[in-house]
Amino acid sequence: MAIDRTKLEPAERNPAELRRTALILLAMAVIGGIMVTTAYRKGTEPEPDRPPIVSRLNRNFAAVNQDREGVDLGMLEGKVWLASAIALSDREAFSDTLAAFREVEKEFGPEEVGKFVILALDPEQDRPEQLKAIAEELGVSSDRWWFLAAGEEPIRGYAKDHLRLGTVTENDAGKVVKAPSVLTIVDQHRHLRGRYDFRQAREVSESAQKLLAEEPERADEFEKDFGKRPEEFTDEDVELKEHLFKALRHILTEDLEQGDQQQKP
């Protein structure tokens, strides 16, 4: 039998329940972000500052950079470099990573961190001439920066399966609407040394700051339900940058042989 919608009454909304639901969602975002962005800090390594070996690049990748030069990642053998991804249709996802790259560029010379490698995930739009224009617009046109373009399937596959940078989200028209915001370190022996998501870290920090600024009375409830106070998360983005710098310093000075056993992800 069909329901007569004209006789239905709106459901009563309990403000207390709505606030609690919002608190739980916020807590899930904060704690979930912390688990992802700081999993490598839990002391599984014999040396606390030593970044874990996530995996090893056993496959080369060739592409064209923003200057239309053919290059491949094998050219970086023996160097420390950073990798990330970009889609020009979702530049916001790259903004936090770009800021982190710039901080590293200021702190470490080219003899320490050789390249900043950015894979363009939307080849139909992210062509070399467009990548060159965006590099110049961002003020990162030195030869330390590679914006790489290739076919969609190989470049997305390499970013996801080999560099562990994540996947893209597309709309029905095939346009990238959400790009991954992860960066990773590749050491002298092609080991991947952790995943750093500065966008997520910033969002965690902002969520915790918002809770404390707008509803500080709920901090005790947050701690009671989840075992941590929101104050612990307000500087997550700053702390993540410090851990990235520590990881790089350790990698640049450690005595790691090419055949060292890699940790499981």
Side-chain angles (χ1 to χ4, degrees):
M1 185 173 76
I3 297 175
D4 185 355
R5 291 183 173 83
T6 63
K7 296 182 178 180
L8 294 178
E9 296 181 2
E12 293 185 5
R13 295 178 177 269
N14 186 323
E17 286 299 322
L18 290 176
R19 287 195 298 271
R20 181 165 181 78
T21 299
L23 176 64
I24 291 173
L25 290 174
L26 172 62
M28 289 174 63
V30 170
I31 294 176
I34 289 296
M35 290 176 64
V36 172
T37 57
T38 63
Y40 66 94
R41 304 182 199 176
K42 293 184 178 179
T44 56
E45 288 284 332
E47 303 169 77
D49 290 336
R50 186 190 189 202
I53 296 174
V54 176
S55 63
R56 188 168 185 269
L57 293 179
N58 292 312
R59 184 174 160 192
N60 197 7
F61 184 77
V64 177
N65 69 12
Q66 70 270 27
D67 295 316
R68 291 188 171 277
E69 299 170 334
V71 298
D72 65 80
L73 299 183
M75 297 167 65
L76 305 181
E77 180 77 22
K79 299 179 181 180
V80 175
W81 48 283
L82 300 184
S84 187
I86 189 173
L88 298 187
S89 56
D90 184 21
R91 285 175 53 181
E92 183 181 355
F94 184 66
S95 59
D96 295 292
T97 302
L98 174 65
F101 278 172
R102 282 175 163 159
E103 292 285 339
V104 172
E105 187 176 31
K106 291 177 185 177
E107 186 75 13
F108 299 90
E111 71 285 353
E112 296 173 307
V113 178
K115 292 286 184 186
F116 304 96
V117 177
I118 301 100
L119 278 65
L121 298 174
D122 196 356
E124 291 301 314
Q125 300 184 60
D126 306 348
R127 298 184 181 278
E129 60 272 18
Q130 293 164 313
L131 294 171
K132 185 174 181 63
I134 199 68
E136 292 174 349
E137 177 187 331
L138 297 173
V140 292
S141 54
S142 77
D143 59 7
R144 289 182 75 182
W145 296 77
W146 276 358
F147 287 77
L148 302 184
E152 178 179 308
E153 186 174 344
I155 202 164
R156 291 190 185 182
Y158 199 86
K160 174 179 176 288
D161 299 328
H162 296 274
L163 288 172
R164 309 288 183 90
L165 297 178
T167 58
V168 302
T169 302
E170 296 181 331
N171 60 18
D172 293 339
K175 180 179 179 180
V176 176
V177 294
K178 185 176 182 181
S181 54
V182 171
L183 73 84
T184 188
I185 305 170
V186 184
D187 72 13
Q188 303 91 330
H189 303 300
R190 305 197 307 274
H191 296 111
L192 269 60
R193 307 299 295 270
R195 301 171 77 252
Y196 303 79
D197 192 332
F198 282 90
R199 178 176 64 177
Q200 188 174 62
R202 173 180 54 79
E203 290 173 350
V204 167
S205 300
E206 290 174 351
S207 295
Q209 292 165 9
K210 182 178 180 180
L211 174 64
L212 291 170
E214 297 181 1
E215 298 182 275
E217 70 279 2
R218 294 169 62 190
D220 290 340
E221 183 182 352
F222 186 101
E223 181 181 23
K224 179 180 178 181
D225 286 345
F226 301 102
K228 289 181 178 291
R229 294 191 64 80
E231 290 93 332
E232 297 181 52
F233 305 133
T234 55
D235 294 321
E236 179 61 19
D237 49 347
V238 176
E239 292 178 13
L240 189 61
K241 184 183 78 171
E242 292 174 354
H243 279 270
L244 174 63
F245 279 23
K246 286 181 180 179
L248 285 168
R249 293 189 184 102
H250 189 101
I251 289 168
L252 290 167
T253 57
E254 72 182 348
D255 183 17
L256 179 66
E257 296 297 328
Q258 184 169 351
D260 276 12
Q261 292 293 317
Q262 63 184 20
Q263 286 190 342
K264 299 295 182 182

